Amino acid sequence: MTSEREHLRHRELVEEIRRHEHAYYILHRPVISDSEFDRLERELRDLESRHPEWITPDSPSQRVGGSVSEGFQTVRHAVPLMSLDNTYSDEEVAAFIARAEKQLPGETLEWTVEPKIDGLSISLRFEHGVFVQGATRGDGTTGDDVTANLRTIRSLPLKLKESPPLLELRGEIYLPLAGFRRINSERESAGEEPFSNPRNAAAGSLKQLDPRITAKRPLALVAYGLGAVEGVEVPSEQSALLQWLVELGLPVPEPVTVARNTEEVLRAITELDRIRRDFGYETDGAVVKLNRLPLRERLGSTAKAPRWAMAYKYAAEQAQTQLKGITVQVGRTGKLTPVAELEPVFLAGSTVARATLHNEEEIRRKDIRIGDRVVIEKAGEVIPAVVRSVPECRTGSELEFSLPRSCPECGTPVTRETTSEGEGIDWRCPNLDCPAQIRGRIGHWCSRGAMDIDGAGDVLVNQIVQKGLVRDVADLYRLQVPEVQNLERMGEKSARNLIEAIEGSKSRDLWRLVFGLGILHVGAGAAKALARAFPDLDSM
Ligand code: IVH
């Protein structure tokens, strides 16, 4: 190709990739397959490696990459980021609306009701339509410059469909539930502490000093407001503003209801609560805003929050039950985790009989005792957690709990260490021959995400370890049909199938093997990176 045609192709690719990003990450209606999309990205990177002079900051290739920084620069917000007054009560919503009506006599007021997305506030600066800077809320006046991390977020367009001289947007960065679950299962496989909820996971991901880590976290954006604006006429209503943001190529909160009085506002809040569980991301309330933007100025704000908007928070779904006991699980890395054994109780769509208590410190901090009546909550609407005890219900027979100082599986004295995130203490069984660790290691090796050995589920793994047939993963490859077929729920045919499946695992990709070894902090992502960087196991 001539350089001129290549340059043309480069511009075409930029446009095409941008279109597909929009279709996939914002409209959720992809038009091409993932592999076709990868091919386009590869072609773009290839062209740009030969012609670095063509790279512009808004090229889709500029999302990933960047280098590790020592700390974030501080950004002064041109218009401060305020927060919102919160309420849990219908009466306070009514009073808020009545106050606004009183301050704006003669005006017919309309209100928008939007989902309140549970993430982190962000300010995004676009100059002539190009994303140039993004900052966290910080103290409202100054925040951290997280531009490099924000660039990795695919639903954040690096170039808008219009090019106003200056457009500062306000929005929320969040982690969809599917991504939250994926990250946590990867962290658990790597022997790391899982995030307690999607919001913490989003915060941890956005505040990474290495944007390559952020790039692996599937963060998303919604935009819902404006900061500083120059050289463009903006819509005069919130509902029209959101529509305009959509036309610029941005994701916005959905659904938005326009309501004309208290009754309609409250109805919209209730309706949102009914449907929000199906959203695929966490919402913790509804935001009620005065629709007409020019009227907002007349209402003004207090030092902290505007008088034209309010957040209605939904109470997290909680239930009370009896803490029957605390058991201790030993993971494959030897980590001891206390688990609450509960009187089964129905909570937010399912029956909960066990909940994590995280670690010993947490139990002490919350003063949770065996026999207590406890409040449980679905934190992040996924993992049930014990929130607190109800000391008023105590009879005096409750027992304080401490983790055993020796491993409940093998009796070896346990050792203390600071958690990987440095915010607590973990107790570990140091005995690599501990049956629980052996079971955990073999189970992890055989799991779907690692060597994917069909038929080697928990029940089988427990038996082969207990019978002493397998002590490490190498032993799996020495198993014979006769010794397997006598195990419970086995026969000759299933034994043969298992041995075949084990044989079949010998041709798995290198990264699966590396991940399967279960090295501390080497999750699936790190294993893939290692396998890309080294041709084989010996050179690693
Ligand atoms: S409007 C002047 N709209 O909730 C403040 N905020 O508790 C304008 N949030 O700091 C904020 N979804 O981070 C607004 N649809 C939404 C929102 C939303 C989530 C967050 C935002 C804000 C916090 C206040």
Side-chain angles (χ1 to χ4, degrees):
M1 247 198 281
T2 64
S3 174
E4 211 170 297
R5 283 186 49 197
E6 274 192 330
H7 201 174
L8 198 66
R9 177 64 186 149
H10 177 259
R11 276 192 299 252
E12 260 172 29
L13 276 170
V14 167
E15 283 308 316
E16 204 176 337
I17 293 171
R18 223 173 252 158
R19 256 199 329 275
H20 291 308
E21 283 183 331
H22 185 254
Y24 188 98
Y25 293 100
I26 297 176
L27 305 177
H28 305 293
R29 278 200 309 266
V31 265
I32 57 171
S33 69
D34 290 3
S35 62
E36 279 173 285
F37 183 77
D38 291 345
R39 193 183 56 71
L40 294 175
E41 280 197 318
R42 229 173 305 125
E43 191 184 343
L44 179 72
R45 272 199 305 274
D46 187 45
L47 270 177
E48 289 185 350
S49 69
R50 278 180 286 122
H51 295 279
E53 70 278 13
W54 295 342
I55 304 176
T56 55
D58 58 347
S59 164
S61 66
Q62 297 307 292
R63 288 195 181 277
V64 210
S67 50
V68 182
S69 70
E70 282 174 9
F72 298 115
Q73 301 281 339
T74 301
V75 177
R76 200 176 177 79
H77 302 300
V79 176
L81 272 76
M82 282 192 284
S83 69
L84 292 173
D85 282 335
N86 282 337
T87 181
Y88 288 88
S89 99
D90 290 7
E91 290 72 32
E92 283 187 24
V93 173
F96 157 75
I97 292 174
R99 210 163 37 234
E101 284 170 346
K102 199 167 157 213
Q103 282 179 30
L104 297 168
E107 299 284 353
T108 315
L109 304 188
E110 278 184 348
W111 304 90
T112 57
V113 180
E114 297 169 13
K116 179 164 162 8
I117 292 111
D118 199 10
L120 296 108
S121 311
I122 201 80
S123 180
L124 305 169
R125 190 178 169 94
F126 291 85
E127 289 175 6
H128 302 284
V130 177
F131 173 61
V132 291
Q133 191 177 57
T136 60
R137 176 169 184 277
D139 62 5
T141 313
T142 55
D144 287 334
D145 183 336
V146 286
T147 311
N149 290 343
L150 288 167
R151 282 183 179 286
T152 68
I153 301 174
R154 299 284 188 153
S155 53
L156 192 166
L158 298 180
K159 190 174 185 355
L160 301 176
K161 291 187 179 153
E162 290 175 30
S163 313
L166 175 66
L167 187 63
E168 244 185 42
L169 299 176
R170 298 291 153 80
E172 200 83 357
I173 301 295
Y174 66 97
L175 186 65
L177 286 169
F180 169 66
R181 293 194 188 107
R182 198 193 80 201
I183 292 173
N184 264 1
S185 77
E186 280 175 14
R187 286 173 77 86
E188 281 177 5
S189 323
E192 294 167 353
E193 189 75 20
F195 288 113
S196 54
N197 58 49
R199 191 181 179 284
N200 286 355
S205 305
L206 193 63
K207 297 200 175 139
Q208 285 289 339
L209 290 173
D210 183 350
R212 284 167 303 188
I213 298 181
T214 313
K216 290 193 195 115
R217 310 272 172 89
L219 295 171
L221 162 79
V222 282
Y224 46 64
L226 296 175
V229 179
E230 279 169 23
V232 63
E233 189 84 18
V234 296
S236 59
E237 292 186 339
Q238 176 71 7
S239 45
L241 169 67
L242 294 176
Q243 187 50 45
W244 183 54
L245 296 180
V246 168
E247 283 158 21
L248 291 179
L250 289 148
V252 298
E254 281 176 311
V256 176
T257 310
V258 179
R260 284 166 305 184
N261 52 43
T262 306
E263 195 194 334
E264 286 183 8
V265 166
L266 291 174
R267 205 181 310 137
I269 290 174
T270 311
E271 175 59 13
L272 200 56
D273 191 23
R274 194 180 65 78
I275 59 173
R276 70 194 179 101
R277 263 169 215 87
D278 299 326
F279 283 178
Y281 50 84
E282 290 246 294
T283 49
D284 61 343
V287 185
V288 182
K289 300 176 185 173
L290 186 60
N291 199 16
R292 289 260 306 281
L293 308 191
L295 288 181
R296 290 180 179 179
E297 280 158 40
R298 287 170 50 195
L299 285 183
S301 51
T302 65
K304 182 185 144 266
R307 288 201 188 84
W308 47 263
M310 179 164 228
Y312 183 101
K313 299 258 268 183
Y314 298 120
E317 279 199 66
Q318 294 187 333
Q320 280 198 14
T321 186
Q322 191 86 16
L323 177 64
K324 295 193 299 183
I326 297 177
T327 51
V328 178
Q329 262 182 3
V330 184
R332 76 176 155 77
T333 59
K335 192 184 146 198
L336 270 53
T337 306
V339 177
E341 303 291 341
L342 306 163
E343 187 58 42
V345 61
F346 195 74
L347 174 63
S350 65
T351 301
V352 178
R354 306 183 86 197
T356 176
L357 285 163
H358 300 292
N359 52 50
E360 195 177 32
E361 268 171 36
E362 185 101 347
I363 300 175
R364 195 145 312 135
R365 198 170 51 78
K366 294 179 176 166
D367 185 24
I368 290 167
R369 304 182 194 173
I370 299 168
D372 262 345
R373 191 155 188 83
V374 289
V375 175
I376 62 164
E377 184 175 291
K378 282 207 175 157
E381 286 166 17
V382 235
I383 313 162
V386 177
V387 184
R388 62 182 177 92
S389 58
V390 190
E392 307 87 270
C393 295
R394 283 191 180 146
T395 62
S397 63
E398 295 74 17
L399 297 171
E400 284 188 31
F401 171 84
S402 31
L403 273 180
R405 292 299 174 247
S406 55
C407 173
E409 284 276 342
C410 68
T412 308
V414 293
T415 54
R416 271 166 76 98
E417 58 183 64
T418 311
T419 61
S420 55
E421 307 278 305
E423 80 288 86
I425 299 291
D426 273 347
W427 289 95
R428 250 177 236 279
C429 164
N431 173 20
L432 292 176
D433 293 325
C434 170
Q437 292 188 48
I438 297 178
R439 283 198 307 270
R441 285 197 296 268
I442 309 279
H444 173 65
W445 174 269
C446 298
S447 68
R448 182 94 60 84
M451 295 297 273
D452 194 13
I453 300 176
D454 235 14
D458 287 350
V459 177
L460 180 101
V461 170
N462 289 352
Q463 287 192 72
I464 54 178
V465 174
Q466 201 206 347
K467 293 250 171 357
L469 296 176
V470 172
R471 288 170 49 83
D472 60 32
V473 295
D475 292 337
L476 281 171
Y477 297 85
R478 294 187 199 108
L479 280 176
Q480 306 280 331
V481 174
E483 50 191 7
V484 176
Q485 73 180 26
N486 293 326
L487 299 172
E488 267 170 56
R489 291 203 245 162
M490 272 281 162
E492 199 196 320
K493 185 155 190 307
S494 34
R496 259 183 218 298
N497 288 344
L498 178 72
I499 303 297
E500 253 172 51
I502 294 173
E503 266 310 295
S505 73
K506 288 184 178 168
S507 55
R508 297 279 182 271
D509 288 344
L510 180 59
W511 73 265
R512 287 182 171 273
L513 182 144
V514 175
F515 174 52
L517 290 173
I519 303 162
L520 201 58
H521 307 314
V522 181
K528 284 181 188 168
L530 284 166
R532 270 197 301 273
F534 297 95
D536 52 47
L537 201 56
D538 291 335
S539 41
M540 270 184 204

Coordinates of all heavy atoms in Angstrom, one line a residue, residues 82-84 86 114-117 120-121 137 172 224 253 287 289 306 308 311, ligand 1:
M82 N -20.4 18.8 43.6 CA -21.1 18.8 44.9 C -21.6 17.4 45.2 O -21.6 16.5 44.3 CB -22.2 19.8 44.9 CG -21.7 21.2 45.1 SD -23.1 22.3 45.4 CE -23.7 22.5 43.8
S83 N -22.1 17.2 46.4 CA -22.7 15.9 46.6 C -24.2 16.1 46.8 O -24.7 17.2 46.6 CB -22.1 15.1 47.8 OG -22.4 15.8 48.9
L84 N -25.0 15.1 47.2 CA -26.4 15.3 47.3 C -26.9 15.1 48.7 O -26.3 14.3 49.4 CB -27.1 14.3 46.4 CG -26.9 14.4 44.9 CD1 -27.6 13.2 44.1 CD2 -27.6 15.7 44.4
N86 N -29.2 13.3 51.2 CA -29.8 11.9 51.1 C -31.1 11.8 51.9 O -31.2 12.5 53.0 CB -28.9 10.9 51.7 CG -27.8 10.5 50.8 OD1 -27.9 10.7 49.6 ND2 -26.7 10.1 51.4
E114 N -33.9 9.6 38.2 CA -32.9 8.8 37.5 C -32.4 7.7 38.5 O -32.3 8.0 39.7 CB -31.7 9.6 37.1 CG -31.9 10.7 36.2 CD -30.7 11.7 36.1 OE1 -29.6 11.4 36.6 OE2 -30.9 12.7 35.5
P115 N -31.9 6.6 38.0 CA -31.2 5.7 38.9 C -29.9 6.3 39.5 O -29.3 7.1 38.8 CB -30.8 4.5 38.1 CG -31.2 4.8 36.7 CD -31.9 6.1 36.7
K116 N -29.7 6.0 40.8 CA -28.4 6.5 41.4 C -27.5 5.3 41.3 O -27.7 4.3 42.0 CB -28.7 6.9 42.8 CG -27.5 7.4 43.6 CD -27.9 8.1 44.8 CE -26.8 8.3 45.9 NZ -25.5 7.9 45.7
I117 N -26.5 5.4 40.4 CA -25.6 4.3 40.2 C -24.5 4.3 41.3 O -23.9 5.4 41.6 CB -25.0 4.4 38.8 CG1 -26.1 4.2 37.8 CG2 -23.9 3.4 38.5 CD1 -26.5 5.3 37.0
L120 N -18.3 5.8 41.5 CA -17.5 6.9 41.9 C -17.7 8.1 41.0 O -17.7 8.0 39.8 CB -16.0 6.6 41.8 CG -15.5 5.5 42.6 CD1 -15.2 4.3 41.8 CD2 -14.2 6.0 43.3
S121 N -17.9 9.3 41.6 CA -18.1 10.5 40.8 C -16.9 10.8 40.0 O -15.8 10.7 40.5 CB -18.3 11.7 41.6 OG -19.2 11.6 42.6
R137 N -13.6 13.0 42.2 CA -14.3 14.1 42.9 C -13.3 14.6 43.9 O -13.3 15.9 44.1 CB -15.5 13.5 43.6 CG -16.2 14.5 44.4 CD -17.6 13.9 44.8 NE -18.2 15.0 45.6 CZ -18.0 15.2 46.9 NH1 -17.2 14.4 47.6 NH2 -18.7 16.1 47.5
E172 N -20.5 9.0 36.5 CA -20.2 7.9 37.5 C -19.4 6.8 36.8 O -19.8 6.4 35.7 CB -21.5 7.4 38.1 CG -21.4 6.7 39.4 CD -21.4 7.7 40.6 OE1 -21.4 8.9 40.4 OE2 -21.3 7.1 41.7
Y224 N -24.2 12.2 33.5 CA -25.6 12.7 33.9 C -25.6 14.2 34.1 O -26.7 14.7 34.5 CB -26.1 12.0 35.1 CG -25.1 11.8 36.3 CD1 -24.6 12.9 36.9 CD2 -24.7 10.6 36.7 CE1 -23.7 12.8 38.0 CE2 -23.8 10.4 37.7 CZ -23.3 11.6 38.4 OH -22.4 11.4 39.4
P253 N -27.8 7.5 32.5 CA -28.6 6.6 33.3 C -29.9 6.3 32.7 O -30.5 7.2 32.0 CB -28.8 7.5 34.6 CG -28.0 8.7 34.5 CD -27.5 8.8 33.1
V287 N -32.2 9.5 42.0 CA -31.9 10.9 42.1 C -33.0 11.7 41.5 O -33.4 11.5 40.4 CB -30.5 11.2 41.4 CG1 -30.2 12.7 41.7 CG2 -29.4 10.3 41.9
K289 N -34.2 15.3 40.3 CA -33.6 16.6 39.9 C -34.7 17.5 39.3 O -35.5 17.0 38.6 CB -32.5 16.4 38.9 CG -31.4 15.5 39.3 CD -30.4 15.3 38.2 CE -29.3 14.3 38.6 NZ -28.5 13.9 37.5
P306 N -26.7 20.8 46.2 CA -27.7 21.7 45.6 C -29.1 21.6 46.2 O -29.4 20.6 46.8 CB -27.7 21.2 44.2 CG -27.3 19.8 44.2 CD -26.3 19.7 45.4
W308 N -31.6 21.9 44.3 CA -32.5 21.4 43.2 C -32.5 19.9 43.0 O -33.1 19.4 42.0 CB -32.1 22.2 41.9 CG -30.6 22.2 41.6 CD1 -29.8 23.2 41.9 CD2 -29.9 21.2 41.0 NE1 -28.5 22.9 41.5 CE2 -28.5 21.7 41.0 CE3 -30.1 19.9 40.5 CZ2 -27.5 20.9 40.4 CZ3 -29.1 19.2 40.0 CH2 -27.8 19.7 39.9
A311 N -31.1 12.8 46.7 CA -31.0 11.4 46.5 C -31.9 10.6 47.5 O -31.9 10.9 48.6 CB -29.6 11.0 46.8
Ligands
IVH1 S1 -26.3 14.1 40.1 C1 -24.7 18.1 42.4 N1 -27.1 11.8 39.2 O1 -24.4 10.1 43.8 C2 -24.6 16.6 42.4 N2 -25.5 11.8 40.9 O2 -24.8 10.9 46.6 C3 -25.0 16.0 41.1 N3 -24.7 9.5 41.5 O3 -21.9 12.5 44.0 C4 -25.1 14.5 41.2 N4 -25.9 8.4 40.0 O4 -21.5 10.4 42.4 C5 -26.3 12.4 40.1 N5 -27.9 9.8 38.2 C6 -27.1 10.4 39.1 C7 -26.2 9.7 39.9 C8 -25.4 10.4 40.8 C9 -25.0 8.3 41.0 C10 -23.7 9.8 42.6 C11 -22.8 10.9 42.4 C12 -23.0 11.9 43.5 C13 -23.6 11.0 44.5 C14 -24.4 11.7 45.6

